[in-house]
Amino acid sequence: GDSVSNGNGGAAAVNGGKVDANTAIAKVLALSELDEHAAILNLARGSGAEITAASPIAAMRKAYLKLSLVIHPDRNAGNSDATRAFQGLAMAFERLSQPELYMDEEDAGRGKKGKKAKRIARSNLGCKRTRVRCPRCSVPWSESSVEGNPDYYYNFLMNGLKQYCCSTCLFEFGCMTAVHVCPFCTQDFEYSPQDYHRKIVCGNSGCDREFGFYEFVTSDRVITDLKRTVKESLERRAKTVEQKRRREKSSARRGVGAGVDLEEAFSLGLTDCCPRCGESMSEFPGEAEQRQHLRECTDSAKHAKHATKKKTKQATADAAAATADTQLDAQSEATWRMLGGNTEQLWMLTEGALTKQCEDTGIATEGLSKEEMIASIAMNSGDGVLRLGGGGSKAPGGVAASGPRKRRKMTSASLPSNYEQMSLQELKSVLAAHGAVSKATCKADILTEIGDELMEGDGQLRIGGGKAKPIVVSDDDDDDDDSNYSDDEPIFVPKKRKKTHGL
């Protein structure tokens, strides 16, 4: 295919020659009028496989993002049709990736089109229990009775809800890090949790057979337990991530690790590996031997080889970290959807998952914090249902309008169970998901506001009447605190009661 250029290095495949973004916008609008959703995404497929209704979600999303960079209203301010074209592109992506939302569109009461709720159950006709391999040792997962995994664990893995350990190498992996094998051509293919309730083709050369993913019967009790455990797991992971962020912030303030001279550290015997050639000196622990080695280490070929090895190792580590982040993003999104996918629970999503939601809804994320991304998505949802391509609550160009936020009531179900232990920044994200903006500047005041709202809405009788007084909160763990802290210490410090004597 030929390409469309937007003047900023972006390109999308279009029939017949190199044309500008205005032509791409016109083509998208024309295809939108004909409801040619696959044809719209194929404008951006380049030399890749053709996009069809059976293509993997990952392939659809790549085409969507590629073309959105060309026709986005922010990049085409002089074209009045850019907004409509972008909305047409977003609608095409949503129609193909989530067709279940548009089944039986004709509403008998209104005769209008509208989204329908997802089906609770589906058929397993044409579905396979696809092979899943460990990404480290390539051993098939959960195919023997020795592992003792129930069949429905396959559902949880493929939905992105849980990660499991390989019984051979004990490596933990999820659906985004596992190796997925096509049941027909036995080659690897790219999988997304959103593909689980669809029938797809693997996209490998010469293989065009459609298949779905088997859904095993799961009892209501198991589902109830799963909802509780995945939410608890998500909250623990969020706490761990926040602890790591605060440690990194504290280390940066103190300058820990900055300006370390590796050669000096080696010469003082603090490290065993030569920073120039990579040779280990663990057998010669004396500082004199290491200083002598450093003076004689002048082989430029060895230095270059070691530098290349370090780069490769760092690239591998970065790729592994990125893959792990992708898995956590998918897991947080799957958990959020399983628990209802409500706007007031957007705090569950990781920053990566929020960025993906913003990209899919056309919201520019550059320079936005997690709190700001949540607020933008919440404004776009309006009635609690996320919409692609804009809708009435967004300004042209995909940027959230600056109108009033829809306030959503805080309840024990919509709040994290460990919100008292959250940092100030995390609490602001929780407030943003509920459409609330607090004027408080410290964690204690925000917790008091949340407590007041919960007390007003829980319907419980208070002895003595009136509002119950909120619990006093210690504010010594704010983000600006530079002291060491223990995460096991309670956040709430209850007031001491006066001693009373019995009659």
Side-chain angles (χ1 to χ4, degrees):
D2 301 309
S3 62
V4 176
S5 174
N6 65 359
N8 296 314
V14 171
N15 300 328
K18 211 158 181 146
V19 290
D20 60 11
N22 292 330
T23 304
I25 290 171
K27 284 183 176 289
V28 170
L29 288 175
L31 292 171
S32 295
E33 292 294 327
L34 301 173
D35 288 336
E36 295 287 348
H37 307 304
I40 292 175
L41 293 186
N42 275 312
L43 294 175
R45 71 182 177 89
S47 58
E50 182 180 0
I51 302 295
T52 67
S55 295
I57 295 288
M60 293 182 186
R61 188 167 183 273
K62 285 178 182 177
Y64 163 74
L65 292 178
K66 189 174 182 182
L67 187 55
S68 68
L69 290 175
V70 178
I71 69 171
H72 198 284
D74 287 348
R75 295 173 175 252
N76 298 277
N79 192 324
S80 58
D81 292 329
T83 299
R84 287 197 302 119
F86 181 76
Q87 291 173 344
L89 169 63
M91 177 61 72
F93 172 58
E94 190 174 65
R95 285 270 185 164
L96 290 177
S97 61
Q98 301 182 73
E100 68 276 6
L101 296 180
Y102 294 91
M103 291 177 177
D104 304 325
E105 285 184 323
E106 294 300 326
D107 190 317
R110 297 177 300 153
K112 296 181 180 180
K113 294 184 178 181
K115 290 186 179 182
K116 296 292 181 183
K118 292 185 179 181
R119 297 181 185 179
I120 296 175
R122 64 169 172 85
S123 169
N124 278 323
L125 184 65
C127 296
K128 308 284 185 182
R129 197 287 190 190
T130 56
R131 171 163 284 182
V132 180
R133 293 184 181 275
C134 170
R136 175 183 286 175
C137 66
S138 296
V139 171
W141 170 76
S142 195
E143 291 189 6
S144 67
S145 58
V146 177
E147 296 179 62
N149 293 331
D151 290 336
Y152 54 76
Y153 275 20
Y154 175 79
N155 303 4
F156 302 161
L157 176 80
M158 299 299 281
N159 271 304
L161 290 167
K162 297 196 75 174
Q163 300 184 62
Y164 294 98
C165 286
C166 172
S167 61
T168 302
C169 67
L170 303 182
F171 181 73
E172 188 179 42
F173 60 89
C175 67
M176 298 299 289
T177 51
V179 178
H180 298 271
V181 181
C182 172
F184 297 116
C185 69
T186 67
Q187 297 183 52
D188 302 347
F189 68 94
E190 191 172 7
Y191 176 78
S192 167
Q194 290 175 297
D195 290 329
Y196 183 65
H197 294 293
R198 304 173 62 242
K199 289 187 177 178
I200 68 170
V201 292
C202 67
N204 293 318
S205 178
C207 182
D208 58 358
R209 297 181 66 178
E210 248 184 45
F211 63 93
F213 302 92
Y214 202 89
E215 184 175 39
F216 293 94
V217 176
T218 311
S219 69
D220 291 340
R221 179 185 61 80
V222 171
I223 293 296
T224 301
D225 289 343
L226 177 67
K227 288 181 178 180
R228 175 180 53 79
T229 56
V230 294
K231 185 179 180 182
E232 290 174 353
S233 175
L234 184 146
E235 291 172 352
R236 286 196 303 269
R237 186 171 62 248
K239 180 180 177 182
T240 302
V241 170
E242 179 62 18
Q243 289 170 358
K244 182 179 178 182
R245 184 192 69 81
R246 293 175 64 179
R247 285 194 293 267
E248 290 175 349
K249 184 178 178 181
S250 179
S251 296
R253 282 201 302 263
R254 296 186 176 99
V256 177
V260 175
D261 190 330
L262 296 179
E263 292 192 6
E264 183 179 358
F266 177 71
S267 65
L268 294 174
L270 300 177
T271 59
D272 295 330
C273 185
C274 175
R276 295 181 184 175
C277 67
E279 183 178 345
S280 175
M281 300 290 291
S282 57
E283 296 181 4
F284 307 98
E287 298 178 17
E289 288 85 351
Q290 295 191 186
R291 283 195 291 270
Q292 179 67 22
H293 171 84
L294 201 58
R295 284 193 294 268
E296 296 174 355
C297 187
T298 57
D299 191 334
S300 57
K302 282 187 177 182
H303 297 173
K305 184 177 179 180
H306 178 57
T308 302
K309 185 178 178 181
K310 284 176 62 178
K311 281 186 179 180
T312 303
K313 185 177 180 180
Q314 185 61 46
T316 303
D318 291 343
T323 303
D325 288 343
T326 302
Q327 173 61 47
L328 293 178
D329 295 344
Q331 194 167 344
S332 72
E333 183 176 352
T335 301
W336 173 67
R337 292 188 185 282
M338 184 184 194
L339 296 176
N342 298 318
T343 304
E344 56 267 26
Q345 292 180 317
L346 281 169
W347 54 264
M348 294 182 178
L349 298 180
T350 61
E351 289 197 30
L354 285 169
T355 301
K356 176 177 174 291
Q357 291 284 346
C358 288
E359 289 174 347
D360 289 349
T361 51
I363 299 172
T365 60
E366 185 177 356
L368 294 185
S369 64
K370 182 177 179 178
E371 174 194 356
E372 292 166 336
M373 284 192 284
I374 289 175
S376 298
I377 296 172
M379 290 183 66
N380 185 43
S381 69
D383 55 1
V385 179
L386 297 184
R387 290 185 171 81
L388 296 181
S393 60
K394 285 176 65 183
V399 180
S402 57
R405 302 183 185 184
K406 181 177 180 180
R407 185 69 167 83
R408 296 173 175 86
K409 186 72 176 175
M410 293 185 194
T411 65
S412 57
S414 67
L415 290 172
S417 60
N418 63 339
Y419 73 89
E420 302 97 336
Q421 301 173 7
M422 285 183 160
S423 67
L424 177 63
Q425 204 59 41
E426 288 178 306
L427 286 172
K428 287 183 177 180
S429 297
V430 172
L431 292 179
H434 289 81
V437 180
S438 175
K439 296 181 180 180
T441 57
C442 67
K443 175 179 172 179
D445 292 343
I446 292 181
L447 285 174
T448 300
E449 291 175 3
I450 294 175
D452 286 345
E453 184 161 334
L454 289 177
M455 290 172 185
E456 290 174 0
D458 63 6
Q460 295 182 12
L461 177 64
R462 304 293 177 186
I463 297 177
K467 285 187 183 178
K469 292 184 179 180
I471 300 173
V472 177
V473 182
S474 172
D475 194 36
D476 60 352
D477 65 335
D478 196 277
D479 281 345
D480 295 330
D481 185 16
D482 197 39
S483 61
N484 295 326
Y485 63 94
S486 170
D487 295 296
D488 295 325
E489 294 178 359
I491 298 299
F492 282 147
V493 181
K495 289 182 177 180
K496 292 183 179 179
R497 295 185 178 181
K498 295 181 179 180
K499 291 184 179 180
T500 58
H501 301 281
L503 296 176

